[in-house]
Amino acid sequence: MLLTHTDHGLYCAAGDFFVDPWQPVGRAVITHAHGDHARPGSTAYLCAAPGEGILRLRMGSDAHIETLPYGATTHLNGVAVSFHPAGHILGSAQVRVEYGGETWVVSGDYKTDPDPTCAPFESVPCDTFITEATFGLPIYRWPAAETVFAAINDWWRANQAAGRTSVLFAYALGKAQRVLAGVDPSIGPIFVHGAVHRLNTAYRAGGVALPDWSYAGDAPPNTDWSRALLIAPTSAQGTPWLRRFGDVSAAFASGWMRVRGQRRRRSVDRGFVLSDHADWPGLLAAIAASGASRVLVTHGYTAVLARYLRESGREAYELAAPYNGEQLGEEVD
Ligand SMILES: [Zn+2]
Ligand SMILES: [Zn+2]
């Protein structure tokens, strides 16, 4: 086995490196900067070049980070390693590992739907494909992004007419920038929470086109918020920070909004189905396109997807991850 499951995470013995390790290790090859994939404390990190800025923001200024452009190959102890766009967030990559005539691809998190804030998913042929399964249930099918953004714009306009501030909760890394890039900025002013502000700035530095926004913390006390859209991380929900914005309508942009009951559970007025992960048809299409004879399934609904693949005649297994099952925490939608 080119990559094996260990208690520190996925390990390549031939190359002596880990992919998205759960514990500090010597060399960590990172698919993307989300907290469940990039953890601090490793001696050296290797990531796709477009992800360097946000990985550094997360790992700290003294972290040792090396990068490779998408598609370029490096050799770690004779094992060929390259990064290929995963379409999930800025710099997100599938890690291709080739050694002894065998090719593995670790998908990390990915989506096949278009997203103006990151490079589109690229299918990479391999023998073994390690796929995520965050939304690996047949009920998860995403509406077209244009439909979702039209609904967000309508909600924002209706709130303006009613004199209410539009507060849209979205994960700070990836989703918030995708929301910013997708809404109609001519409707009114856009303000963001500090966590979103820092990441927006890193996205812009990385060459991603975003409409202008203002950091809410810099706004004068007499600001009229009633025409504004405020983008905030889910961690700001129910905090005193929200009080200054007056009468608000709160919404949540997430793949979890696909399921009835989640809107009430998250205590928001509106839910918009917008995910940075592949939906069920997207997962199946990516797996088929990889041409892999063996599929390992990790993160999320692993049992359901692995069983479905086996029943469709494919060799498929579950691969243990630190968190499995339904995930509703920060940065996993
Ligand atoms: Zn992620
Ligand atoms: Zn993840």
Side-chain angles (χ1 to χ4, degrees):
M1 298 286 263
L2 193 46
L3 293 164
T4 50
H5 166 74
T6 72
D7 57 3
H8 281 61
L10 207 55
Y11 180 59
C12 177
D16 191 22
F17 62 86
F18 289 81
V19 180
D20 292 353
W22 314 329
Q23 310 281 341
V25 298
R27 182 177 281 284
V29 175
I30 299 296
T31 61
H32 66 291
H34 275 153
D36 55 328
H37 298 262
R39 292 184 167 80
S42 288
T43 311
Y45 295 91
L46 180 65
C47 71
E52 182 179 7
I54 46 180
L55 187 62
R56 187 161 293 289
L57 209 56
R58 290 280 165 120
M59 297 296 108
S61 54
D62 45 358
H64 180 78
I65 299 174
E66 291 169 35
T67 68
L68 261 189
Y70 284 132
T73 300
T74 191
H75 288 85
L76 301 176
N77 300 310
V79 176
V81 175
S82 55
F83 295 104
H84 306 269
H88 173 60
I89 62 167
L90 178 61
S92 65
Q94 304 170 77
V95 177
R96 181 184 184 275
V97 180
E98 184 184 354
Y99 184 71
E102 205 182 336
T103 303
W104 288 49
V105 169
V106 182
S107 74
D109 293 340
Y110 65 94
K111 73 170 173 296
T112 51
D113 286 350
D115 176 345
T117 66
C118 63
F121 178 88
E122 254 174 41
S123 180
V124 184
C126 56
D127 304 306
T128 300
F129 186 52
I130 302 183
T131 182
E132 61 130 324
T134 305
F135 290 103
L137 291 181
I139 53 161
Y140 290 110
R141 283 160 208 269
W142 307 144
E146 304 83 70
T147 313
V148 176
F149 281 111
I152 293 174
N153 290 335
D154 287 347
W155 165 78
W156 183 6
R157 285 193 202 93
N159 291 335
Q160 280 186 335
R164 274 194 301 261
T165 313
S166 300
V167 179
L168 185 51
F169 294 109
Y171 294 121
L173 172 52
K175 186 65 59 63
Q177 292 73 39
R178 190 177 174 203
V179 165
L180 184 58
V183 295
D184 178 358
S186 73
I187 295 174
I190 300 173
F191 289 90
V192 304
H193 181 275
V196 174
H197 176 61
R198 282 188 293 278
L199 287 158
N200 285 357
T201 306
Y203 262 62
R204 246 192 199 167
V208 177
L210 295 175
D212 289 333
W213 72 89
S214 302
Y215 168 42
D218 283 344
N222 60 348
T223 301
D224 172 17
W225 298 103
S226 68
R227 297 188 62 255
L229 172 67
L230 175 70
I231 304 173
T234 44
S235 56
Q237 205 181 0
T239 65
W241 179 82
L242 279 173
R243 283 194 204 124
R244 80 179 86 167
F245 304 109
D247 190 13
V248 308
S249 173
F252 186 38
S254 166
W256 300 113
M257 292 298 117
R258 177 68 185 75
V259 178
R260 210 174 283 277
Q262 285 292 346
R263 185 183 57 75
R264 248 176 295 114
R265 192 165 149 193
R266 303 298 298 230
S267 313
V268 287
D269 307 308
R270 282 292 297 271
F272 298 110
V273 182
L274 193 68
S275 178
D276 287 340
H277 291 267
D279 60 3
W280 177 256
L283 291 169
L284 298 183
I287 290 164
S290 74
S293 55
R294 179 170 52 198
V295 180
L296 306 180
V297 187
T298 186
H299 283 93
Y301 293 102
T302 54
V304 176
L305 181 55
R307 190 175 64 234
Y308 180 87
L309 293 170
R310 281 194 301 272
E311 286 170 357
S312 318
R314 211 177 275 274
E315 186 184 345
Y317 312 96
E318 285 182 75
L319 185 68
Y323 316 110
N324 256 339
E326 190 186 6
Q327 302 174 330
L328 279 164
E330 185 76 11
E331 294 169 348
V332 292
D333 82 328

